[in-house]
Amino acid sequence: MRRIAGMILAVLLLGGVVTAVIAGRSDGAKDDDKSTATKTVRMVIGSEKADFFADEDVRRALAAQGFTVRAETSGSWAMEGLDLKGYDLAFPSSQAPAVELAGRHKVRGTLPRPFYSPLVVVAHRGAAQVLADNGLATLDTAHRGTLAMGAYLDAARHDRTWQQLKGAGKYGELSGTLFISSTDPETSSSGALYLAATSYVANGGRVVADRAGLDRTAPLLKKLVSVQGAQQSSSDAVFRDFVSGAGNPLVLVYESQVAALLADGQQPDDLVVLYPDTTVNSDHTAVPLTANGQELARLLATDPTLRKLAVRHGFRPQGTATGFGSAGTYLKQQLTGVRQAPVPTSAVLHDMARRARG
């Protein structure tokens, strides 16, 4: 594994890519699976799916279909810089980097999208209540609500601070500029999708598709990113910080991360999940590089057991919401009242991220 990680790092460095790639793997099926598993699929995945593929129940379900999976993790955009020779499947966390990979590796046809997860903002209860009291959010339960993206972006545009919001003085942790923490949009899919959603709202409800749109939205997007200072490359890291009580009171994460936390039996009383009224779904899109990779992607999308296990890990299988959002009052089962913003092309999104990072 060290040799593989070293080779990947060398390729990235030689290519001038300054992206850190987190290497990880599941070592395939254990002894109780080896009687059925006959095909080994080697793949690179977004880190948010690592727990899913490491789950013993997932391994057994795959083994029952004749598969053993060996997975290494990488930032979704960083996959573009990897040498994927010898891999069967690339599985980033959104469609844009998948389309880019498919073009680079001459993968034809429709790319499978087994499951998806919308972006949400997690907040501590005090912060969520202050937002609601100031017209930036609405709360429909003690642990769930809606973030008004237009109002939030207007506050960001005018550099509003927590101290300017009524009621914030009761909470010592609410001070300084009001902003949402996100990941680095140049290396992380969730950070790039945050720009996709906010640029859509800032562009008057139109997807940014040309230089004029980029010029029009760039100042606000740069403000949204620069106010954060150093950004992490993984949504796992920012979510762990939030759950531990560290970091910013508002953090952008995948809904699947919250769902997985709740499924694990944790239901933090201080947690509020805010669904932006305009958001972007993270479509986990598979790029099959071999016939085995194609077959595994098909199983993930169609096998009933694997679909149920995807729900257990917080992912929404394509085509149904049945069984999702049953963990109390934190999550929506149906995404009513949530507008899905179109995502710009990969080229536009890259340019948008570069400008935002400045």
Side-chain angles (χ1 to χ4, degrees):
M1 187 60 214
R2 292 193 188 95
R3 290 184 60 195
I4 294 173
M7 291 169 65
I8 291 173
L9 182 58
V11 170
L12 291 173
L13 292 175
L14 288 172
V17 180
V18 291
T19 301
V21 177
I22 304 170
R25 62 182 284 179
S26 95
D27 287 323
K30 294 195 173 181
D31 291 342
D32 58 347
D33 296 332
K34 65 184 179 182
S35 61
T36 54
T38 59
K39 291 176 281 193
T40 298
V41 172
R42 185 183 177 206
M43 62 183 183
V44 58
I45 63 174
S47 60
E48 68 291 324
K49 292 185 285 291
D51 287 345
F52 173 76
F53 286 106
D55 186 326
E56 289 299 322
D57 289 336
V58 172
R59 292 186 183 190
R60 280 190 285 269
L62 289 170
Q65 299 294 333
F67 283 94
T68 295
V69 165
R70 300 193 179 200
E72 300 165 18
T73 63
S74 166
S76 292
W77 287 108
M79 290 181 192
E80 293 181 18
L82 301 181
D83 179 2
L84 296 181
K85 184 177 181 180
Y87 287 83
D88 299 284
L89 187 71
F91 201 179
S93 59
S94 61
Q95 190 172 13
V99 170
E100 192 83 5
L101 284 166
R104 180 165 299 188
H105 294 277
K106 297 179 172 55
V107 177
R108 310 299 181 193
T110 302
L111 299 177
R113 290 182 287 166
F115 40 72
Y116 69 98
S117 182
L119 289 172
V120 299
V121 174
V122 289
H124 297 298
R125 180 176 289 183
Q129 189 61 57
V130 170
L131 293 179
D133 291 343
N134 288 269
L136 296 169
T138 57
L139 301 178
D140 47 70
T141 76
H143 298 291
R144 186 182 68 224
T146 302
L147 178 70
M149 284 291 282
Y152 164 68
L153 292 181
D154 184 66
R157 193 176 284 112
H158 293 92
D159 301 312
R160 291 183 74 180
T161 65
W162 284 105
Q163 290 92 324
Q164 292 174 315
L165 302 181
K166 64 181 180 182
K170 294 186 294 184
Y171 306 99
E173 71 274 16
L174 301 182
S175 62
T177 304
L178 170 69
F179 68 91
I180 295 170
S181 288
S182 62
T183 53
D184 184 345
E186 290 193 288
T187 62
S188 169
S189 180
S190 61
L193 293 180
Y194 178 52
L195 298 187
T198 52
S199 66
Y200 181 79
V201 177
N203 199 39
R206 300 184 304 275
V207 65
V208 174
D210 54 24
R211 186 158 299 280
L214 284 165
D215 292 341
R216 190 160 46 245
T217 58
L220 176 60
L221 300 188
K222 185 173 182 179
K223 182 171 288 192
L224 294 175
V225 170
S226 62
V227 71
Q228 300 182 46
Q231 292 177 291
Q232 305 233 37
S233 61
S234 164
S235 59
D236 284 347
V238 293
F239 185 58
R240 284 196 303 270
D241 286 348
F242 176 85
V243 171
S244 70
N248 194 48
L250 302 175
V251 179
L252 185 86
V253 299
Y254 296 116
E255 180 195 55
S256 59
Q257 293 171 289
V258 182
L261 180 77
L262 299 174
D264 193 41
Q266 301 182 58
Q267 297 196 10
D269 189 57
D270 191 42
L271 172 65
V272 179
V273 182
L274 297 174
Y275 286 79
D277 57 16
T278 301
T279 190
V280 171
N281 285 343
S282 173
D283 289 309
H284 293 266
T285 306
V287 184
L289 303 172
T290 66
N292 282 347
Q294 179 74 45
E295 177 62 13
L296 177 63
R298 186 193 67 78
L299 283 173
L300 291 170
T302 61
D303 182 80
T305 300
L306 289 169
R307 286 171 65 87
K308 288 179 183 177
L309 289 168
V311 171
R312 191 169 82 184
H313 282 268
F315 301 111
R316 292 177 179 260
Q318 294 287 355
T320 179
T322 303
F324 190 88
S326 59
T329 59
Y330 292 84
L331 303 177
K332 290 177 178 282
Q333 185 175 67
Q334 302 289 343
L335 295 174
T336 53
V338 177
R339 186 179 189 182
Q340 170 68 19
V343 178
T345 65
S346 180
V348 169
L349 207 52
H350 272 302
D351 198 357
M352 191 179 288
R354 284 192 294 269
R355 291 181 180 220
R357 290 286 291 165

